Amino acid sequence: PSAKVSEMGHNASEEIRRMCDNMKCVESHLDLRRQVANRGSKRSIYLPVNLQCAQSLPANTSACQIPKKSTTTGIAVVVTCFNTDQYLDESLQSLVEQTQKPKAVVIVHDGSKEKKALTTSNQIEREGWHVIHKRWTGPTSAKNAAIELVLDLGLEPLGFVFLNAGDRLQSGFIAACESVLEHCPDVGLVSFWADNLHADNRAWINPCPSFPYQWLNNEAVPFSVLRWEAIRQAGYFRGMMSLGYEDWDLFNAILAAGWK
């Protein structure tokens, strides 16, 4: 009967208000977080399973890295393009203007079809930079292919930086990042502040990436500089990660391995 339906609706509405009351939700959250805090860490101090050393370190052992003495130098730059080649010239010009030249530059056209990109590619190949043309297989495959190309050329760098077409670097970028990796051997990732030229809130000023916050929100700039030794230890970019998450995944693996 309609009267019964109305009564049921009223009772349901009151029950929802009781369950979803703001203070009730806050108390539930606080209760859950107290339980988690009191329980202590049981899994979060373990290393990610994709690290080769994950099984060799006990959970209660510090994973702080003591890197091997290395004679590698220079920063290799990888620029990936996927129908964003109209911005490629800006990225390349910022590389030309570096006070310290990159050790290698690789442009990966990952399924890109713009004619302007082909013209630009032919020009930069004549200048000694390297170009890879691939069918669209995703950013993970594109970045790993560029790493392999640099290594196959015998140009083992101190670190890599992965740009998207349109990312522009200040003229002292390469010099500053290489200096950090040279003078701070326990640093595996160099992040920094950035400007978003296409957003109202332009300044991108994130805190220094560190756990446990890095698990929840990626504080590292997508084109952070990664030490090659740290990339190798973390196992490159993982193919299972969807677009945009491959960077975050690798950053986490590097930091979880004990690199600062």
Side-chain angles (χ1 to χ4, degrees):
S2 58
K4 183 62 175 177
V5 170
S6 178
E7 178 186 357
M8 292 171 62
H10 174 77
N11 292 340
S13 177
E14 289 296 316
E15 182 66 7
I16 290 173
R17 288 190 177 91
R18 184 189 67 80
M19 294 172 58
C20 299
D21 175 75
N22 284 342
M23 290 307 300
K24 178 73 173 178
C25 290
V26 170
E27 285 300 323
S28 296
H29 271 283
L30 290 175
D31 180 60
L32 171 63
R33 291 166 194 242
R34 286 191 204 98
Q35 294 180 47
V36 172
N38 291 334
R39 185 180 62 195
S41 59
K42 294 182 179 180
R43 295 188 58 187
S44 62
I45 55 177
Y46 283 86
L47 299 180
V49 295
N50 61 309
L51 290 178
Q52 295 177 357
C53 65
Q55 305 302 323
S56 62
L57 290 175
N60 60 353
T61 300
S62 171
C64 183
Q65 284 291 336
I66 304 176
K68 303 172 184 177
K69 189 174 182 180
S70 176
T71 58
T72 58
T73 60
I75 303 295
V77 180
V78 176
V79 185
T80 56
C81 309
F82 174 64
N83 288 336
T84 53
D85 302 335
Q86 67 270 29
Y87 306 114
L88 179 59
D89 288 345
E90 299 174 357
S91 294
L92 300 183
Q93 184 60 36
S94 75
L95 297 180
V96 171
E97 296 171 355
Q98 290 297 305
T99 57
Q100 184 165 320
K101 300 307 178 186
K103 187 161 188 175
V105 177
V106 180
I107 293 86
V108 185
H109 291 290
D110 194 23
S112 192
K113 300 177 181 178
E114 294 201 0
K115 293 182 178 179
K116 183 179 178 181
L118 299 177
T119 303
T120 302
S121 298
N122 292 333
Q123 179 181 349
I124 60 182
E125 282 184 304
R126 290 194 295 268
E127 295 176 0
W129 291 355
H130 307 280
V131 179
I132 299 175
H133 293 278
K134 290 170 57 66
R135 291 186 175 181
W136 167 248
T137 53
T140 295
S141 174
K143 294 172 182 177
N144 286 338
I147 293 174
E148 292 296 344
L149 174 61
V150 172
L151 299 179
D152 289 343
L153 293 170
L155 302 173
E156 186 171 347
L158 184 60
F160 281 87
V161 57
F162 301 89
L163 307 179
N164 290 319
D167 291 339
R168 286 173 277 176
L169 308 177
Q170 290 189 347
S171 59
F173 177 91
I174 296 293
C177 293
E178 183 173 355
S179 178
V180 171
L181 294 181
E182 285 179 343
H183 293 90
C184 307
D186 54 350
V187 168
L189 180 152
V190 183
S191 188
F192 26 79
W193 294 355
D195 283 340
N196 188 340
L197 302 181
H198 304 289
D200 294 333
N201 185 12
R202 288 176 52 182
W204 186 354
I205 305 175
N206 284 350
C208 184
S210 61
F211 291 136
Y213 314 105
Q214 178 64 15
W215 289 120
L216 304 175
N217 187 54
N218 185 16
E219 304 288 8
V221 172
F223 43 97
S224 296
V225 174
L226 307 178
R227 186 183 293 275
W228 160 234
E229 185 181 344
I231 296 175
R232 179 168 50 193
Q233 183 179 11
Y236 291 38
F237 293 91
R238 289 202 290 173
M240 66 186 71
M241 304 307 298
S242 58
L243 179 63
Y245 287 95
E246 75 282 352
D247 297 322
W248 188 3
D249 178 62
L250 183 58
F251 298 162
N252 286 355
I254 288 174
L255 294 177
W259 296 96
K260 294 183 180 178

